[in-house]
């Protein structure tokens, strides 16, 4: 919650610093109570009223109303009467951000006593009358949930990110927040189109005409090693493509080789073997390179047009036009999921002469690397080019067709009654799962109308089923999650969600998908919300691989900004050894690491203090870990906790919080406050100059010196004194997460920071110790993020007692993932809802 307001007075450090600190940047006092201005311990802690009068009302009174907060007239003996105000006070006390620096502060015991008393009063009132909030009554499923639902309904695993519009992400949060999941006309049009594509593919109807899909490899992905576990041992480069073939038929695979930015082929100076495989079976082996005619262009000059540097005409034609002609194969393929593999046979060699520095960056885009490795640029899959000879047998068809009507013959007519009965069984079964409730006669009648329309003009039974399922996927009851107030409910009262609504909440929380049959059956019987049954189901679902995939690929990817790894831009001049292969390794490391803590049900503190990580050879070399070879990721122990260990030392998080040419303590500090300490930071005030330009002709300053200049402004200092010390603690990591002792300015790295309280934070180890000093701090942040994700809305003041209760109860289980998740599922905030009022 943003707490800041207009400055009522200016010209004093007090009003400026306090008002800006109250903008929501509460400092993780971390050890704020150790400030040099703290009062000596007292034998008897003051009452809340006495503490407010002594430390707070000089600024927070009716006359000044600093940060729009007046504490001189509130009833401190009954905080439960105004929970919104007192939750703001609790947040500041927990953070230790109030009173501000250089003002008298309570001792540590007083902070603790006051915070505990306030929380106890607020929590006791909440237990007596929980306020679960309301949230949106209409919640569109997002793109990820749509794809997962298609997978679970039709056993069809396809990537819908290329065919559905992206979902907006609420500020600093998740793309499943109902308030930002609007529906536009373009989205409706795409839903109609995608429903047809998906259902034709699932049912196995032949496309009206052959089509093709293209799979490209980004230019900065290095292809010197085996690229996938689905490719054969001894292979190099290329890619493995999971692909759903719609029907039996003949398909064509065409390979295009990599070209540099002026469209010249790369690595064509010698002969190399290129293989095309289907499910590991060799289809064709081609020889590429080594057959260009004429004198080549000078190294790195291909396409430059410089006089005297161009190649012979025949060579130019080969490199620009014909060098990768004919790399295609056409073969019969059975319908269903298969893996198309394209890769080179790996041949090892070492260049003669003196070893040269490894260069990636620009070399991968503007040099033909004539005697280097050729690489795959793209693969096209086209077809089918022949009519299917028989009805395919695929996992999708087995999931859809639970029955088959008798087949008509020359002597036996179509049994329309049997067809209709079978169609009713299919559509009613799938509608129950898609709509997440028992189907009605009206539901079935609508779908059967579309089945009949699909059967017209002599079309097949399968075509009728396809058209009915197409209608199912555009039904509002599939696309929208609805939570309706019961009839006769009193305005503003709290009511229990129905078992079916809880089943939907639970499945979209843990699986990002629709409920399965077991969950729906329990909900229909009214048993799901029985405490023992609910916990059993939550733990069952957590053990399912779908929970691991959803919580890693959806929840953690957004919480930890893993979806931004692909957006990272790095200056190749400063980091010539950088490439996208390293970026992909960063993302995979964090996914495997977070996934391991979930699978093993570890305490969430492991995310910060783990003594292991996951690396392949490329990432191990970057981190300086010896003895790791090959592209396969594996779990490795970490010997030096001061340099690596936990999320804070992983390249994905460090690279996404840097600029292309330098690190940024501000970006890193803000990310830590938002995502690890759980203290959201507002953007800079309008009009503030955020640049850190160097003055021409002067020695380049260190980043610490630049930010010191920034903090000379009182407006900047009030926030940056909170943000910067955390970011400084990670200064031993460069732009792409490599360890360093010298910074970009050529100066020794200073990875120390001093908080507003005077506490000193030294490097990664100091930052980790700061976070783990209070055992509830990080579990509280994780719980807040999980709860917001589970509810599909931002948290508010009335959710804080829920978070505290969950964290307190999870302490006995060492704050394991399961204890936090089960605590959320069993909480009143998850199981109940406030009825509509004018205010909500």
């Amino acid at each position: 919650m943003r707490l800041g307001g207009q400055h009522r007075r200016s010209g004093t450090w007090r009003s400026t610093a306090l008002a800006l600190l109250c903008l929501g940047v509460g400092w993780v006092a971390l050890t704020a109570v150790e400030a040099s201005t703290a009062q000596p311990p007292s034998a008897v802690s003051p009452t809340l009223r006495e503490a407010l009068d002594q430390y707070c009302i000089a600024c927070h009174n009716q006359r000044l109303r600093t940060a729009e907060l007046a504490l001189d007239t509130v009833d401190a003996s009954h905080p439960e009467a105004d929970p919104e105000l007192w939750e703001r006070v609790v947040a500041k006390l927990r953070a230790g951000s109030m009173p501000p620096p250089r003002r008298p502060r309570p001792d540590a015991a007083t902070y603790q006593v006051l915070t505990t008393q306030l929380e106890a009063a607020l929590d006791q009132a909440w237990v007596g009358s929980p306020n679960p909030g309301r949230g949106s009554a209409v919640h569109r499923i997002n793109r990820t949930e749509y794809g997962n639902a298609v997978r679970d309904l039709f056993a069809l695993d396809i990537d819908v990110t290329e065919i559905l519009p992206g979902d907006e992400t609420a500020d600093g949060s998740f793309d499943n927040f109902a308030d930002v999941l609007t529906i536009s006309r373009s989205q409706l049009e795409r839903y109609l189109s995608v429903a047809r594509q998906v259902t034709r593919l699932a049912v196995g109807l032949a496309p009206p005409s052959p089509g093709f899909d293209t799979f490209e490899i980004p230019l900065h992905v290095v292809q010197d090693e085996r690229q996938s576990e689905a490719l054969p041992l001894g292979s190099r480069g290329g890619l493995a493509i999971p692909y759903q073939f719609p029907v039996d038929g003949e398909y064509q695979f065409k390979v295009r080789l990599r070209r540099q930015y002026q469209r010249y082929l790369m690595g064509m100076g010698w002969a190399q073997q290129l293989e095309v495989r289907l499910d590991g079976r060799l289809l064709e082996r081609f020889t590429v390179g080594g057959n260009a005619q004429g004198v080549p262009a000078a190294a790195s000059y291909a396409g430059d047009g410089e006089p005297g540097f161009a190649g012979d005409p025949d060579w130019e034609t080969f490199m620009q036009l014909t060098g990768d002609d004919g790399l295609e194969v056409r073969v019969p393929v059975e319908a269903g999921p298969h893996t198309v593999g394209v890769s080179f046979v790996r041949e090892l060699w070492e260049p003669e002469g003196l070893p040269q520095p490894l260069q990636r960056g620009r070399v991968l885009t503007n040099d033909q690397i004539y005697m280097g490795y050729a690489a795959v640029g793209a693969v096209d899959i086209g077809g089918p080019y022949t009519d299917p000879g028989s009805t395919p047998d695929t996992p999708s068809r087995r999931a859809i067709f639970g029955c088959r009507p008798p087949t008509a013959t020359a002597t036996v007519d179509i049994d329309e009654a049997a067809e209709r009965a079978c169609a009713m069984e299919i559509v009613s079964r799938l509608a129950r799962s898609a709509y997440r409730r028992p189907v009605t006669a009206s539901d079935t009648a609508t779908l059967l109308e579309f089945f009949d329309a699909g059967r017209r003009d002599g079309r097949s039974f399968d075509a009728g089923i396809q058209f009915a399922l197409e209608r199912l996927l555009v039904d509002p009851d599939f696309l929208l999650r609805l939570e309706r107030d019961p009839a006769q409910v009193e305005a503003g009262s709290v009511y229990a969600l129905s078992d079916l609504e809880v089943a939907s909440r639970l499945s979209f929380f843990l699986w990002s998908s629709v409920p399965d049959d077991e969950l729906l059956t329990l909900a229909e019987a009214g048993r799901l919300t029985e405490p023992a049954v609910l916990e059993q189901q939550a733990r069952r679902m957590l053990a399912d691989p779908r929970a691991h995939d959803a919580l890693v690929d959806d929840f953690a990817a957004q919480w930890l900004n893993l979806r931004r790894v692909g957006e990272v831009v790095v200056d190749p001049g400063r980091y010539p050894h950088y490439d996208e292969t390293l970026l992909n390794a960063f993302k995979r490391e964090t996914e495997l690491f977070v996934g391991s803590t979930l699978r093993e049900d570890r305490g969430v503190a492991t995310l910060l203090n783990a003594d292991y990580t996951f690396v392949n050879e490329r990432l191990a070399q970057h981190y300086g870990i010896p003895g790791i070879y090959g592209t396969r990721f594996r779990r490795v122990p970490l010997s030096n906790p001061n340099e690596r260990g936990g999320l804070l030392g992983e390249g994905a998080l460090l690279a996404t919080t840097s600029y292309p040419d330098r690190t940024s303590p501000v970006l890193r500090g803000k990310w830590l406050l938002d995502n690890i300490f759980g203290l959201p930071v507002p953007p800079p005030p309008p009009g503030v100059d955020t640049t850190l330009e160097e003055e021409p002709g002067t020695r380049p300053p260190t980043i610490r010196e630049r930010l010191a200049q920034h903090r000379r402004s009182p407006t900047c200092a009030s926030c940056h004194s909170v943000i910067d010390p955390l970011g400084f603690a990670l200064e031993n990591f460069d732009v792409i997460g490599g360890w360093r002792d010298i910074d970009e300015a050529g100066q020794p790295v200073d990875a120390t920071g001093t908080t507003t309280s005077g506490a000193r934070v030294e490097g990664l180890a100091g930052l980790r110790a700061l976070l783990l000093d209070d055992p509830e701090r990080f579990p509280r942040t994780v719980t807040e993020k999980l709860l917001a994700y589970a509810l599909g809305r931002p948290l508010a003041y009335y959710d804080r007692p829920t978070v505290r209760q969950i964290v307190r109860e999870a302490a006995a289980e060492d704050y394991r993932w399961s204890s936090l998740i089960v605590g959320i599922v069993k909480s009143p905030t998850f199981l109940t809802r406030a009825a509509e009022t004018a205010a909500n």
Side-chain angles (χ1 to χ4, degrees), residues 1 142 144 167-181 553-564 670-671 674-675 678-681 781-796 799-800:
M1 177 177 295
N142 64 22
T144 299
D167 301 301
E168 294 182 15
T169 300
D171 184 24
S173 251
F174 302 100
D175 65 4
N176 71 341
F177 278 15
D179 288 348
V180 298
L181 289 171
D553 298 337
D554 201 24
F555 167 72
Q558 294 183 80
W559 167 38
L560 301 175
N561 285 353
L562 296 185
R563 292 183 178 179
R564 290 194 55 236
K670 181 182 184 302
W671 184 87
D674 286 344
N675 297 290
L679 298 168
V681 181
T781 299
V782 177
T783 303
E784 289 172 353
K785 300 292 184 181
L786 277 169
L787 182 60
Y789 176 78
L791 298 175
R793 65 167 174 82
L795 298 190
D799 298 308
R800 303 301 166 188

Side-chain angles (χ1 to χ4, degrees), residues 683-696:
V688 171
D689 181 12
T690 60
T691 61
L692 296 173
E693 299 294 336
E694 300 176 8
E695 295 183 13

Side-chain angles (χ1 to χ4, degrees), residues 84 145 298 341 580 654 724 824:
E84 183 173 5
E145 293 164 343
E580 286 194 30
L654 296 163
D724 297 353
I824 288 172

Side-chain angles (χ1 to χ4, degrees), residues 742-790:
I742 303 296
D743 66 15
E744 294 93 349
Q747 303 297 317
V749 168
D750 182 359
T752 60
T754 302
T755 71
T756 53
S757 68
R760 188 176 176 85
V761 182
E762 298 190 21
L764 174 63
L767 183 60
R768 186 189 295 120
L770 190 64
L771 277 160
L772 298 176
D773 178 59
D774 176 1
E776 287 191 357
R777 179 180 290 122
F778 184 59
R780 190 183 306 122
T781 299
V782 177
T783 303
E784 289 172 353
K785 300 292 184 181
L786 277 169
L787 182 60
Y789 176 78

